[in-house]
Amino acid sequence: MSKKVVVIGGGPGGYEAAIELAKLGAEVSLIEKAHLGGTCLNCGCIPTKTLLSGAETYATLKNADRFGIAVSDCKVDYARLYSRKEDVVKRLRNGVQFLMRKHGIQVVEGNASFSDKSHIAVDSGNKRSIIAFDAAIIATGSMPSMPPIPGIDGRNVMNSTDALELKELPERMAVIGGGVIGLELSAFFSKIGTKVTILEACPQILPEMDEDIVQEYLKLSGMSNSVKTSCKVQAIEDSATGKVVRYTDTTGMALSVECDKVLVATGRRAYTQGLNLEGIGVLTDRGRIQTNENYQTSVENVFAIGDVNGKAQLAHAATSQGRYAAQVIMGNKPTVKTSVVPWCVFTEPEMAGVGLSEKQAKKAGVAYEIAQFSFAASGKAMSMGKAEGFIKILYGPEYHEILGAKIVGPHATDLIGEMVLALSLETTLEELADTMHPHPTLCEALADAARQ
Ligand code: FAD
């Protein structure tokens, strides 16, 4: 008899886990209370990148003169940008639905809650059904976390989901939080005409990232003047012209920024509401579900993957963890690698990284050397009019094994893929340098960096 596995949550972690389980012969039910695709597809990765593509197209057209192309009367039609985003989301959602059907996965709409260690109750409207399981995967994701700032519940204060649903373009926006989500949404809105001010509590936006990467980004993006660091937001209030965000700097000086909308992008917290975890003995730590290296919780047949376990709040991490857990559940030796986790920031210029950063290497006392290459010397980057930014590869001084890579520049988010493979395969700098790369491409700059 096939194993009965229930997956709670239809985000990139949940639906990919369900597909892997089905491929390995499990009888799979996937429970989703909102939309298939989860945060990623409906209010995360996909809508932001779709909007950013629109904003980038606008920026390219405005700069078309540099390429000898005359463009006149180039305007943003925000309503159409918005509806294109809706269309992309809808098409991809249908795609996930198709995949569920194709793999014979039973999709159950409703809110899931554990009845005991082998049954889940699903509530939909006033109907309740009970599903029995041999194993369950919790993939319920995360939700925006709102810090206790006075006035945060007020009018015109938004989280990232609200910002992606804005029907009209605000003239001025204050963004609290200079992490990835805050920066990407700031990049979008500022590119299409909103005056954005980013307020970050740490001395640097993207606090975990190497300073030289962040400095290069600020220089090239022209966002330096829009970013205020080391500021502590004290209150959000209504003002005569809209909203005012009050904050103090490191000296305690009281400052403020006037705006029409406030976007709060201060991180996300694990979403476990209503699951009845305590009832079955699943342990959490600061809200995140605790798991071992197999993504198994304190209850043997219950697994937790993706944002809800707080290991890495990234869609590709959720997907890999989901597939890994599925292989464990089905008694297979897991082949999926979950330890090499790339990250990307889809701003202009883009930033991406994988493995050790210089900051982390210094902190951990890991010996390293750096190979660096500037896109200013890349023929492809120059032909694109984007000969800016650089690649930085950290490697071990003795064996030259690649420890990490950081990229700021054109298509950094695509280029990092090669470095993910290099790290996964424990490649050395020489192996990267001696691998033939196509010409003229941006990826040959990776080999050029290694040859330095
Ligand atoms: P989710 O995608 O959050 O899915 C969880 C699902 O579970 C939801 O559909 C929810 O409705 C459902 N659910 C919850 N509780 C229950 C219940 N009790 N019963 C039934 N269903 C339930 N990551 C990237 O890698 N790249 C990016 O570019 C990127 N951009 C982002 C931009 C924004 C604005 C945001 C907010 C996030 C972004 N992320 C990005 C993060 C990414 O979206 C998440 O890491 C990813 O979606 C996590 O996947 P998941 O499967 O763990 O959970």
Side-chain angles (χ1 to χ4, degrees):
M1 227 173 63
S2 64
K3 210 168 199 171
K4 176 105 184 77
V5 188
V6 175
V7 180
I8 310 176
Y15 78 73
E16 290 284 0
I19 292 172
E20 186 74 10
L21 286 161
K23 280 185 183 165
L24 295 174
E27 189 190 326
V28 193
S29 300
L30 183 140
I31 310 168
E32 172 54 58
K33 69 179 178 127
H35 295 296
L36 284 178
T39 302
C40 167
L41 205 162
N42 297 289
C43 55
C45 325
I46 300 299
T48 47
K49 272 80 239 178
T50 309
L51 291 174
L52 278 163
S53 296
E56 265 160 44
T57 305
Y58 178 54
T60 305
L61 288 174
K62 278 201 302 183
N63 289 318
D65 197 45
R66 284 198 304 152
F67 295 85
I69 298 166
V71 176
S72 59
D73 203 23
C74 167
K75 280 198 210 105
V76 172
D77 184 340
Y78 183 70
R80 287 181 62 198
L81 267 186
Y82 181 90
S83 73
R84 178 172 175 273
K85 175 212 71 159
E86 295 285 279
D87 186 48
V88 170
V89 168
K90 204 165 123 200
R91 276 164 45 202
L92 286 170
R93 219 189 267 154
N94 289 342
V96 179
Q97 242 153 23
F98 166 77
L99 286 174
M100 297 298 100
R101 275 199 305 276
K102 179 178 163 198
H103 290 282
I105 295 159
Q106 182 201 20
V107 176
V108 184
E109 286 174 21
N111 217 320
S113 171
F114 286 96
S115 306
D116 57 38
K117 290 179 186 174
S118 56
H119 293 90
I120 286 176
V122 186
D123 290 308
S124 177
N126 49 14
K127 271 199 333 213
R128 165 166 279 211
S129 53
I130 302 287
I131 305 177
F133 64 84
D134 300 309
I137 297 182
I138 305 171
T140 49
S142 61
M143 63 180 297
S145 90
M146 302 296 264
I149 299 169
I152 203 150
D153 299 329
R155 270 184 325 131
N156 293 321
V157 181
M158 323 173 283
N159 61 31
S160 60
T161 306
D162 306 324
L164 291 167
E165 292 300 319
L166 274 181
K167 300 281 186 323
E168 275 173 29
L169 193 61
E171 270 180 37
R172 304 163 304 168
M173 186 185 286
V175 178
I176 304 177
V180 178
I181 293 175
L183 284 190
E184 289 187 358
L185 287 168
S186 297
F188 166 67
F189 284 107
S190 63
K191 265 200 185 141
I192 60 167
T194 299
K195 184 180 181 318
V196 173
T197 307
I198 301 173
L199 303 170
E200 167 57 49
C202 294
Q204 175 187 291
I205 52 163
L206 302 170
E208 301 298 316
M209 201 181 296
D210 285 346
E211 204 180 321
D212 53 353
I213 300 280
V214 173
Q215 287 309 324
E216 186 79 354
Y217 161 74
L218 286 172
K219 187 180 88 188
L220 299 178
S221 66
M223 289 295 282
S224 301
N225 292 335
S226 308
V227 174
K228 316 247 176 267
T229 51
S230 299
C231 48
K232 192 166 181 337
V233 174
Q234 304 291 351
I236 305 168
E237 295 166 6
D238 289 331
S239 75
T241 63
K243 303 292 289 184
V244 59
V245 181
R246 303 201 182 280
Y247 64 98
T248 46
D249 67 7
T250 39
T251 65
M253 192 197 297
L255 297 158
S256 64
V257 53
E258 287 275 347
C259 57
D260 305 302
K261 298 268 182 197
V262 182
L263 165 62
V264 183
T266 49
R268 296 177 62 85
R269 60 185 169 84
Y271 186 77
T272 56
Q273 208 175 310
L275 286 173
N276 185 29
L277 297 180
E278 313 76 39
I280 60 161
V282 170
L283 296 178
T284 58
D285 175 20
R286 281 163 293 160
R288 303 166 189 152
I289 299 182
Q290 285 182 35
T291 63
N292 64 14
E293 67 287 357
N294 284 336
Y295 305 101
Q296 199 166 22
T297 69
S298 46
V299 175
E300 205 187 351
N301 62 335
V302 178
F303 293 68
I305 55 109
D307 281 14
V308 78
N309 68 25
K311 290 189 198 298
Q313 290 187 331
L314 292 162
H316 43 272
T319 296
S320 291
Q321 292 174 14
R323 294 186 57 231
Y324 187 107
Q327 294 180 343
V328 173
I329 289 170
M330 297 309 285
N332 292 19
K333 189 171 181 304
T335 54
V336 181
K337 289 190 179 169
T338 57
S339 56
V340 181
V341 186
W343 53 261
C344 301
V345 191
F346 293 80
T347 44
E348 178 68 39
E350 293 183 346
M351 291 173 268
V354 64
L356 272 192
S357 66
E358 218 183 330
K359 219 178 218 178
Q360 288 166 331
K362 278 185 185 142
K363 204 167 158 193
V366 175
Y368 67 90
E369 286 185 19
I370 290 178
Q372 198 155 321
F373 188 79
S374 166
F375 284 111
S378 155
K380 180 65 192 274
M382 217 176 285
S383 70
M384 294 162 68
K386 295 197 171 180
E388 293 170 328
F390 60 87
I391 291 166
K392 174 174 154 186
I393 302 175
L394 262 71
Y395 62 96
E398 195 173 349
Y399 303 108
H400 297 181
E401 75 281 16
I402 295 173
L403 301 171
K406 305 285 164 279
I407 307 172
V408 51
H411 294 276
T413 61
D414 293 312
L415 293 176
I416 204 65
E418 181 171 339
M419 298 312 294
V420 179
L421 190 63
L423 247 87
S424 295
L425 299 178
E426 298 177 11
T427 305
T428 63
L429 208 59
E430 285 76 3
E431 285 167 327
L432 177 62
D434 292 342
T435 300
M436 193 190 292
H437 284 71
H439 174 79
T441 59
L442 293 173
C443 71
E444 65 188 334
L446 294 169
D448 286 329
R451 276 185 222 124
Q452 301 302 304

